Amino acid sequence: MEVRILNQSLSKRQKKILVTLFIKENWVKGSELSQILGVSDRTIRMDIDSIKTILSETVIQTSKQFGYRYNQEIDFNSLNVENVLDARERLAVVIKEMILS
């Protein structure tokens, strides 16, 4: 799947949403994301909409029943979000990529 190059207009929080969904692999409720990031459910919904607008509608899959998840068909490395990851998140991404390869 084709994804546009990461635009600088993504906020640090929006990049964290991408990383969180990528690491978790399964569906994540908006309320769980809001707790993790310390923001409201509405903020999460607006951030998801922004991410989809900036990158691609297909980057994050949405379900009213299950929540959100990262589309595993899209190469995470093409999104270039490493500059906002903390050490634990970088390690989780590296381990996941090693397992998948």
Side-chain angles (χ1 to χ4, degrees):
M1 295 195 155
E2 186 175 323
V3 176
R4 288 177 243 155
I5 300 299
L6 183 63
N7 187 317
Q8 292 303 319
S9 57
L10 280 184
S11 70
K12 187 173 183 174
R13 184 180 61 240
Q14 290 165 344
K15 293 175 186 177
K16 291 263 187 192
I17 289 171
L18 283 172
V19 169
T20 301
L21 293 175
F22 176 76
I23 291 171
K24 292 207 175 253
E25 290 186 20
N26 294 319
W27 292 99
V28 180
K29 296 270 187 192
S31 58
E32 183 180 349
L33 284 172
S34 66
Q35 287 180 335
I36 291 168
L37 298 169
V39 296
S40 70
D41 291 356
R42 180 168 172 74
T43 298
I44 294 297
R45 285 192 304 274
M46 292 182 344
D47 281 346
I48 296 286
D49 288 343
S50 293
I51 292 166
K52 287 178 158 191
T53 298
I54 293 168
L55 296 179
S56 168
E57 280 290 321
T58 61
V59 171
I60 296 174
Q61 298 170 322
T62 304
S63 166
K64 287 185 179 187
Q65 183 178 4
F66 301 114
Y68 306 102
R69 74 176 174 187
Y70 183 81
N71 184 348
Q72 298 297 320
E73 294 179 13
I74 296 176
D75 179 16
F76 186 78
N77 290 322
S78 69
L79 300 178
N80 191 24
V81 295
E82 294 84 13
N83 58 340
V84 297
L85 305 183
D86 62 28
R88 191 184 88 222
E89 292 166 335
R90 281 193 301 272
L91 181 60
V93 169
V94 168
I95 289 171
K96 181 176 177 185
E97 289 174 350
M98 288 173 61
I99 291 170
L100 293 176
S101 63

